[in-house]
Amino acid sequence: MTVAIHWEAFFQVLGAALVGTLLVVGFYALGLRMLVRAGRVPVVTPAEFTDAITVISDKEAKRAAKAAAKAARKSPLSEAQKSLALVAAYACFAVCTAAVAAGILLIVLK
């Protein structure tokens, strides 16, 4: 019993996976950058797990939040530019969501 490899189909799937990955990662990174430019620096508090090592202390988390707030106050952008950056960030996240949803639909419908 031999298995025939369909190279054309393999490279189509490879190309689609690479393009999809670049699309999602690129737009997510751009969305985060626009979010920071809009003055909305995402500060994530550390999760507490039982029997796990805490990567960041509460003191470090408070310091990071304070630094983010200070950076937001020092932004040279006008309010209109910040609003535009926020809209661009949400648009980038929407593109990421659409790309992931399309990938899931392709998997489910095939």
Side-chain angles (χ1 to χ4, degrees), residues 58-108:
D58 288 335
K59 182 180 176 183
E60 291 171 330
K62 288 178 185 176
R63 188 174 1 170
K66 185 177 177 183
K70 183 179 178 182
R73 285 192 306 271
K74 290 174 53 177
S75 176
L77 299 179
S78 69
E79 289 303 317
Q81 289 171 326
K82 287 181 183 179
S83 296
L84 183 62
L86 187 62
V87 169
Y90 290 149
C92 288
F93 294 140
V95 169
C96 288
T97 304
V100 169
I104 291 171
L105 280 175
L106 283 174
I107 291 169
V108 170

Side-chain angles (χ1 to χ4, degrees), residues 13-102:
V13 171
L14 178 66
L18 287 175
V19 168
T21 301
L22 289 173
L23 184 77
V24 170
V25 172
F27 274 101
Y28 187 77
L30 184 62
L32 283 178
R33 179 70 181 132
M34 290 294 107
L35 203 60
V36 170
R37 293 293 289 168
R40 307 266 179 107
V41 180
V43 177
V44 180
T45 57
E48 294 292 330
F49 298 104
T50 57
D51 298 332
I53 299 171
T54 303
V55 177
I56 186 171
S57 68
D58 288 335
K59 182 180 176 183
E60 291 171 330
K62 288 178 185 176
R63 188 174 1 170
K66 185 177 177 183
K70 183 179 178 182
R73 285 192 306 271
K74 290 174 53 177
S75 176
L77 299 179
S78 69
E79 289 303 317
Q81 289 171 326
K82 287 181 183 179
S83 296
L84 183 62
L86 187 62
V87 169
Y90 290 149
C92 288
F93 294 140
V95 169
C96 288
T97 304
V100 169

